[in-house]
mmCIF file of all heavy atoms in Angstrom:
data_model
loop_
_atom_site.group_PDB
_atom_site.id
_atom_site.type_symbol
_atom_site.label_atom_id
_atom_site.label_comp_id
_atom_site.label_asym_id
_atom_site.label_seq_id
_atom_site.Cartn_x
_atom_site.Cartn_y
_atom_site.Cartn_z
ATOM 1 N N ARG O 85 18.265 -44.191 65.918
ATOM 2 C CA ARG O 85 17.727 -43.629 64.747
ATOM 3 C C ARG O 85 18.543 -43.730 63.518
ATOM 4 O O ARG O 85 18.010 -44.067 62.480
ATOM 5 C CB ARG O 85 17.375 -42.079 65.032
ATOM 6 C CG ARG O 85 16.260 -41.848 65.894
ATOM 7 C CD ARG O 85 15.794 -40.407 65.974
ATOM 8 N NE ARG O 85 16.778 -39.684 66.672
ATOM 9 C CZ ARG O 85 17.654 -38.798 66.011
ATOM 10 N NH1 ARG O 85 17.528 -38.636 64.721
ATOM 11 N NH2 ARG O 85 18.585 -38.121 66.610
ATOM 12 N N ILE O 86 19.778 -43.577 63.691
ATOM 13 C CA ILE O 86 20.751 -43.815 62.531
ATOM 14 C C ILE O 86 20.615 -45.256 62.034
ATOM 15 O O ILE O 86 20.571 -45.578 60.829
ATOM 16 C CB ILE O 86 22.227 -43.513 62.904
ATOM 17 C CG1 ILE O 86 22.315 -41.953 63.152
ATOM 18 C CG2 ILE O 86 23.176 -43.986 61.900
ATOM 19 C CD1 ILE O 86 23.628 -41.481 63.695
ATOM 20 N N ARG O 87 20.604 -46.181 62.994
ATOM 21 C CA ARG O 87 20.542 -47.593 62.494
ATOM 22 C C ARG O 87 19.252 -47.869 61.813
ATOM 23 O O ARG O 87 19.293 -48.557 60.727
ATOM 24 C CB ARG O 87 20.566 -48.522 63.802
ATOM 25 C CG ARG O 87 20.499 -49.999 63.533
ATOM 26 C CD ARG O 87 20.478 -50.756 64.824
ATOM 27 N NE ARG O 87 19.572 -50.408 65.825
ATOM 28 C CZ ARG O 87 18.178 -50.450 65.745
ATOM 29 N NH1 ARG O 87 17.612 -51.162 64.725
ATOM 30 N NH2 ARG O 87 17.398 -50.043 66.755
ATOM 31 N N VAL O 88 18.098 -47.383 62.333
ATOM 32 C CA VAL O 88 16.870 -47.521 61.705
ATOM 33 C C VAL O 88 16.855 -46.848 60.302
ATOM 34 O O VAL O 88 16.459 -47.494 59.219
ATOM 35 C CB VAL O 88 15.578 -47.115 62.435
ATOM 36 C CG1 VAL O 88 14.402 -47.052 61.733
ATOM 37 C CG2 VAL O 88 15.532 -47.997 63.769
ATOM 38 N N ALA O 89 17.401 -45.583 60.171
ATOM 39 C CA ALA O 89 17.337 -44.884 58.979
ATOM 40 C C ALA O 89 18.184 -45.601 57.942
ATOM 41 O O ALA O 89 17.819 -45.704 56.692
ATOM 42 C CB ALA O 89 18.002 -43.517 59.280
ATOM 43 N N ARG O 90 19.358 -46.188 58.339
ATOM 44 C CA ARG O 90 20.075 -46.906 57.287
ATOM 45 C C ARG O 90 19.309 -48.120 56.733
ATOM 46 O O ARG O 90 19.415 -48.375 55.466
ATOM 47 C CB ARG O 90 21.443 -47.404 57.973
ATOM 48 C CG ARG O 90 22.434 -46.302 58.101
ATOM 49 C CD ARG O 90 23.724 -46.799 58.746
ATOM 50 N NE ARG O 90 24.636 -45.716 58.776
ATOM 51 C CZ ARG O 90 25.664 -45.594 59.692
ATOM 52 N NH1 ARG O 90 25.839 -46.664 60.586
ATOM 53 N NH2 ARG O 90 26.457 -44.641 59.716
ATOM 54 N N GLN O 91 18.698 -48.808 57.606
ATOM 55 C CA GLN O 91 17.907 -49.923 57.082
ATOM 56 C C GLN O 91 16.717 -49.458 56.127
ATOM 57 O O GLN O 91 16.483 -50.002 55.115
ATOM 58 C CB GLN O 91 17.122 -50.694 58.239
ATOM 59 C CG GLN O 91 18.256 -51.380 59.142
ATOM 60 C CD GLN O 91 17.603 -51.920 60.345
ATOM 61 O OE1 GLN O 91 16.444 -51.743 60.641
ATOM 62 N NE2 GLN O 91 18.386 -52.622 61.190
ATOM 63 N N VAL O 92 16.012 -48.354 56.547
ATOM 64 C CA VAL O 92 14.988 -47.856 55.650
ATOM 65 C C VAL O 92 15.567 -47.245 54.347
ATOM 66 O O VAL O 92 14.970 -47.518 53.230
ATOM 67 C CB VAL O 92 14.236 -46.660 56.446
ATOM 68 C CG1 VAL O 92 13.254 -45.975 55.482
ATOM 69 C CG2 VAL O 92 13.513 -47.249 57.614
ATOM 70 N N GLU O 93 16.716 -46.633 54.425
ATOM 71 C CA GLU O 93 17.345 -46.132 53.162
ATOM 72 C C GLU O 93 17.720 -47.196 52.234
ATOM 73 O O GLU O 93 17.512 -47.185 51.045
ATOM 74 C CB GLU O 93 18.629 -45.312 53.496
ATOM 75 C CG GLU O 93 18.229 -43.937 54.147
ATOM 76 C CD GLU O 93 19.399 -43.108 54.573
ATOM 77 O OE1 GLU O 93 20.575 -43.631 54.551
ATOM 78 O OE2 GLU O 93 19.181 -42.008 55.010
ATOM 79 N N HIS O 94 18.292 -48.243 52.787
ATOM 80 C CA HIS O 94 18.539 -49.420 51.995
ATOM 81 C C HIS O 94 17.418 -50.152 51.309
ATOM 82 O O HIS O 94 17.302 -50.442 50.164
ATOM 83 C CB HIS O 94 19.375 -50.545 52.776
ATOM 84 C CG HIS O 94 19.759 -51.817 52.023
ATOM 85 N ND1 HIS O 94 20.828 -51.743 51.163
ATOM 86 C CD2 HIS O 94 19.224 -52.919 52.078
ATOM 87 C CE1 HIS O 94 20.926 -52.925 50.543
ATOM 88 N NE2 HIS O 94 19.954 -53.723 51.147
ATOM 89 N N ARG O 95 16.366 -50.340 52.215
ATOM 90 C CA ARG O 95 15.111 -50.946 51.695
ATOM 91 C C ARG O 95 14.423 -50.155 50.612
ATOM 92 O O ARG O 95 13.850 -50.759 49.665
ATOM 93 C CB ARG O 95 14.173 -51.212 52.919
ATOM 94 C CG ARG O 95 12.960 -52.009 52.579
ATOM 95 C CD ARG O 95 12.132 -52.253 53.898
ATOM 96 N NE ARG O 95 10.855 -52.850 53.559
ATOM 97 C CZ ARG O 95 10.617 -54.183 53.505
ATOM 98 N NH1 ARG O 95 11.590 -55.086 53.861
ATOM 99 N NH2 ARG O 95 9.396 -54.627 53.238
ATOM 100 N N TYR O 96 14.156 -48.841 50.868
ATOM 101 C CA TYR O 96 13.318 -47.948 50.028
ATOM 102 C C TYR O 96 14.156 -47.066 49.060
ATOM 103 O O TYR O 96 13.578 -46.370 48.294
ATOM 104 C CB TYR O 96 12.346 -47.246 50.897
ATOM 105 C CG TYR O 96 11.421 -48.120 51.636
ATOM 106 C CD1 TYR O 96 11.602 -48.319 52.951
ATOM 107 C CD2 TYR O 96 10.391 -48.872 50.890
ATOM 108 C CE1 TYR O 96 10.705 -49.223 53.687
ATOM 109 C CE2 TYR O 96 9.705 -49.758 51.683
ATOM 110 C CZ TYR O 96 9.763 -49.941 52.993
ATOM 111 O OH TYR O 96 9.004 -50.819 53.703
ATOM 112 N N GLN O 97 15.450 -47.006 49.210
ATOM 113 C CA GLN O 97 16.349 -46.154 48.308
ATOM 114 C C GLN O 97 15.867 -44.742 48.391
ATOM 115 O O GLN O 97 15.769 -44.023 47.382
ATOM 116 C CB GLN O 97 16.368 -46.726 46.925
ATOM 117 C CG GLN O 97 17.114 -48.148 46.895
ATOM 118 C CD GLN O 97 17.116 -48.661 45.501
ATOM 119 O OE1 GLN O 97 16.798 -47.952 44.485
ATOM 120 N NE2 GLN O 97 17.357 -50.028 45.443
ATOM 121 N N ARG O 98 15.640 -44.284 49.572
ATOM 122 C CA ARG O 98 15.399 -42.772 49.759
ATOM 123 C C ARG O 98 16.052 -42.302 51.093
ATOM 124 O O ARG O 98 16.314 -43.191 51.970
ATOM 125 C CB ARG O 98 13.775 -42.621 49.977
ATOM 126 C CG ARG O 98 12.963 -42.874 48.872
ATOM 127 C CD ARG O 98 11.451 -43.094 49.226
ATOM 128 N NE ARG O 98 10.588 -43.167 48.186
ATOM 129 C CZ ARG O 98 10.247 -44.304 47.647
ATOM 130 N NH1 ARG O 98 10.835 -45.451 47.895
ATOM 131 N NH2 ARG O 98 9.324 -44.357 46.618
ATOM 132 N N LYS O 99 16.328 -41.105 51.128
ATOM 133 C CA LYS O 99 16.869 -40.570 52.400
ATOM 134 C C LYS O 99 15.763 -40.524 53.481
ATOM 135 O O LYS O 99 14.689 -40.423 53.168
ATOM 136 C CB LYS O 99 17.456 -39.148 52.187
ATOM 137 C CG LYS O 99 18.688 -39.122 51.317
ATOM 138 C CD LYS O 99 19.776 -39.716 52.145
ATOM 139 C CE LYS O 99 21.132 -39.737 51.396
ATOM 140 N NZ LYS O 99 22.147 -40.397 52.169
ATOM 141 N N VAL O 100 16.310 -40.524 54.703
ATOM 142 C CA VAL O 100 15.326 -40.594 55.842
ATOM 143 C C VAL O 100 15.565 -39.382 56.695
ATOM 144 O O VAL O 100 16.744 -39.030 57.034
ATOM 145 C CB VAL O 100 15.591 -41.891 56.646
ATOM 146 C CG1 VAL O 100 14.705 -41.870 57.873
ATOM 147 C CG2 VAL O 100 15.092 -43.137 55.842
ATOM 148 N N ALA O 101 14.501 -38.779 57.078
ATOM 149 C CA ALA O 101 14.511 -37.648 58.068
ATOM 150 C C ALA O 101 13.592 -38.044 59.216
ATOM 151 O O ALA O 101 12.729 -38.794 59.078
ATOM 152 C CB ALA O 101 14.101 -36.408 57.470
ATOM 153 N N TRP O 102 13.988 -37.444 60.393
ATOM 154 C CA TRP O 102 13.173 -37.696 61.673
ATOM 155 C C TRP O 102 12.542 -36.442 62.131
ATOM 156 O O TRP O 102 13.230 -35.313 62.030
ATOM 157 C CB TRP O 102 14.108 -38.277 62.680
ATOM 158 C CG TRP O 102 14.555 -39.650 62.461
ATOM 159 C CD1 TRP O 102 15.677 -39.977 61.733
ATOM 160 C CD2 TRP O 102 13.943 -40.969 62.768
ATOM 161 N NE1 TRP O 102 15.782 -41.292 61.613
ATOM 162 C CE2 TRP O 102 14.764 -41.905 62.350
ATOM 163 C CE3 TRP O 102 12.813 -41.155 63.493
ATOM 164 C CZ2 TRP O 102 14.492 -43.246 62.620
ATOM 165 C CZ3 TRP O 102 12.470 -42.570 63.794
ATOM 166 C CH2 TRP O 102 13.381 -43.610 63.234
ATOM 167 N N GLY O 103 11.406 -36.535 62.654
ATOM 168 C CA GLY O 103 10.744 -35.308 63.275
ATOM 169 C C GLY O 103 10.069 -35.757 64.531
ATOM 170 O O GLY O 103 9.653 -36.960 64.756
ATOM 171 N N ALA O 104 10.008 -34.919 65.587
ATOM 172 C CA ALA O 104 9.294 -35.207 66.806
ATOM 173 C C ALA O 104 8.316 -34.153 67.084
ATOM 174 O O ALA O 104 8.485 -32.947 66.832
ATOM 175 C CB ALA O 104 10.375 -35.236 67.917
ATOM 176 N N ARG O 105 7.197 -34.560 67.674
ATOM 177 C CA ARG O 105 6.131 -33.783 68.129
ATOM 178 C C ARG O 105 5.886 -33.905 69.686
ATOM 179 O O ARG O 105 5.918 -35.117 70.033
ATOM 180 C CB ARG O 105 4.771 -33.858 67.363
ATOM 181 C CG ARG O 105 4.928 -33.606 65.881
ATOM 182 C CD ARG O 105 3.617 -33.778 65.188
ATOM 183 N NE ARG O 105 3.696 -33.310 63.775
ATOM 184 C CZ ARG O 105 3.611 -34.064 62.740
ATOM 185 N NH1 ARG O 105 3.288 -35.316 62.863
ATOM 186 N NH2 ARG O 105 3.737 -33.578 61.555
ATOM 187 N N CYS O 106 5.663 -32.844 70.369
ATOM 188 C CA CYS O 106 5.370 -32.915 71.789
ATOM 189 C C CYS O 106 4.509 -31.777 72.094
ATOM 190 O O CYS O 106 4.881 -30.650 71.920
ATOM 191 C CB CYS O 106 6.736 -32.872 72.558
ATOM 192 S SG CYS O 106 6.426 -33.006 74.276
ATOM 193 N N GLY O 107 3.260 -32.063 72.410
ATOM 194 C CA GLY O 107 2.210 -31.014 72.556
ATOM 195 C C GLY O 107 2.140 -30.227 71.282
ATOM 196 O O GLY O 107 1.843 -30.853 70.349
ATOM 197 N N ASP O 108 2.259 -28.912 71.458
ATOM 198 C CA ASP O 108 2.107 -28.030 70.271
ATOM 199 C C ASP O 108 3.492 -27.850 69.489
ATOM 200 O O ASP O 108 3.538 -27.269 68.490
ATOM 201 C CB ASP O 108 1.620 -26.648 70.655
ATOM 202 C CG ASP O 108 0.247 -26.713 71.236
ATOM 203 O OD1 ASP O 108 -0.519 -27.620 70.848
ATOM 204 O OD2 ASP O 108 -0.143 -25.927 72.116
ATOM 205 N N ALA O 109 4.570 -28.382 70.095
ATOM 206 C CA ALA O 109 5.927 -28.240 69.523
ATOM 207 C C ALA O 109 6.188 -29.392 68.536
ATOM 208 O O ALA O 109 5.763 -30.499 68.774
ATOM 209 C CB ALA O 109 7.012 -28.222 70.643
ATOM 210 N N SER O 110 6.866 -28.974 67.436
ATOM 211 C CA SER O 110 7.253 -29.978 66.487
ATOM 212 C C SER O 110 8.644 -29.652 65.947
ATOM 213 O O SER O 110 8.914 -28.344 65.731
ATOM 214 C CB SER O 110 6.310 -30.308 65.380
ATOM 215 O OG SER O 110 6.167 -29.078 64.622
ATOM 216 N N GLU O 111 9.516 -30.466 65.681
ATOM 217 C CA GLU O 111 10.847 -30.253 65.071
ATOM 218 C C GLU O 111 11.190 -31.305 64.103
ATOM 219 O O GLU O 111 11.044 -32.456 64.438
ATOM 220 C CB GLU O 111 11.920 -30.051 66.220
ATOM 221 C CG GLU O 111 13.203 -29.682 65.595
ATOM 222 C CD GLU O 111 14.335 -29.611 66.764
ATOM 223 O OE1 GLU O 111 13.951 -29.354 67.844
ATOM 224 O OE2 GLU O 111 15.522 -29.695 66.356
ATOM 225 N N LEU O 112 11.701 -30.938 62.939
ATOM 226 C CA LEU O 112 12.078 -31.997 61.916
ATOM 227 C C LEU O 112 13.560 -31.698 61.776
ATOM 228 O O LEU O 112 14.059 -30.504 61.664
ATOM 229 C CB LEU O 112 11.400 -31.511 60.594
ATOM 230 C CG LEU O 112 11.697 -32.346 59.452
ATOM 231 C CD1 LEU O 112 11.421 -33.899 59.620
ATOM 232 C CD2 LEU O 112 10.976 -31.835 58.148
ATOM 233 N N TYR O 113 14.327 -32.826 61.872
ATOM 234 C CA TYR O 113 15.786 -32.545 61.848
ATOM 235 C C TYR O 113 16.289 -33.491 60.711
ATOM 236 O O TYR O 113 15.816 -34.491 60.301
ATOM 237 C CB TYR O 113 16.488 -32.868 63.204
ATOM 238 C CG TYR O 113 15.764 -33.739 64.117
ATOM 239 C CD1 TYR O 113 16.004 -35.058 64.108
ATOM 240 C CD2 TYR O 113 14.911 -33.153 65.016
ATOM 241 C CE1 TYR O 113 15.350 -35.897 65.056
ATOM 242 C CE2 TYR O 113 14.214 -34.025 65.901
ATOM 243 C CZ TYR O 113 14.474 -35.399 65.895
ATOM 244 O OH TYR O 113 13.890 -36.104 66.841
ATOM 245 N N THR O 114 17.521 -33.130 60.185
ATOM 246 C CA THR O 114 18.318 -33.756 59.120
ATOM 247 C C THR O 114 17.422 -34.062 58.014
ATOM 248 O O THR O 114 17.483 -35.221 57.374
ATOM 249 C CB THR O 114 19.042 -35.075 59.705
ATOM 250 O OG1 THR O 114 17.985 -35.915 60.157
ATOM 251 C CG2 THR O 114 20.004 -34.678 60.750
ATOM 252 N N HIS O 115 16.696 -33.100 57.443
ATOM 253 C CA HIS O 115 15.744 -33.449 56.336
ATOM 254 C C HIS O 115 16.377 -32.847 55.008
ATOM 255 O O HIS O 115 17.330 -32.080 55.158
ATOM 256 C CB HIS O 115 14.325 -32.963 56.534
ATOM 257 C CG HIS O 115 14.234 -31.447 56.776
ATOM 258 N ND1 HIS O 115 14.473 -30.841 57.912
ATOM 259 C CD2 HIS O 115 13.852 -30.467 55.996
ATOM 260 C CE1 HIS O 115 14.405 -29.597 57.886
ATOM 261 N NE2 HIS O 115 13.979 -29.211 56.585
ATOM 262 N N LEU O 116 15.980 -33.402 54.065
ATOM 263 C CA LEU O 116 16.573 -33.174 52.648
ATOM 264 C C LEU O 116 15.980 -31.945 52.070
ATOM 265 O O LEU O 116 14.755 -31.600 52.123
ATOM 266 C CB LEU O 116 16.172 -34.482 51.755
ATOM 267 C CG LEU O 116 16.731 -34.471 50.376
ATOM 268 C CD1 LEU O 116 18.275 -34.607 50.402
ATOM 269 C CD2 LEU O 116 16.153 -35.677 49.716
ATOM 270 N N ALA O 117 16.807 -31.232 51.448
ATOM 271 C CA ALA O 117 16.319 -30.101 50.661
ATOM 272 C C ALA O 117 16.696 -30.294 49.128
ATOM 273 O O ALA O 117 17.940 -30.234 48.854
ATOM 274 C CB ALA O 117 17.005 -28.787 51.067
#
Side-chain angles (χ1 to χ4, degrees):
R85 283 186 298 102
I86 289 170
R87 179 184 48 76
V88 171
R90 285 184 178 149
Q91 293 171 358
V92 173
E93 287 175 357
H94 178 74
R95 182 178 175 94
Y96 298 107
Q97 296 179 12
R98 294 164 173 86
K99 288 295 185 186
V100 172
W102 291 87
R105 295 185 173 115
C106 182
D108 295 332
S110 64
E111 184 179 338
L112 180 63
Y113 27 91
T114 60
H115 58 284
L116 184 65

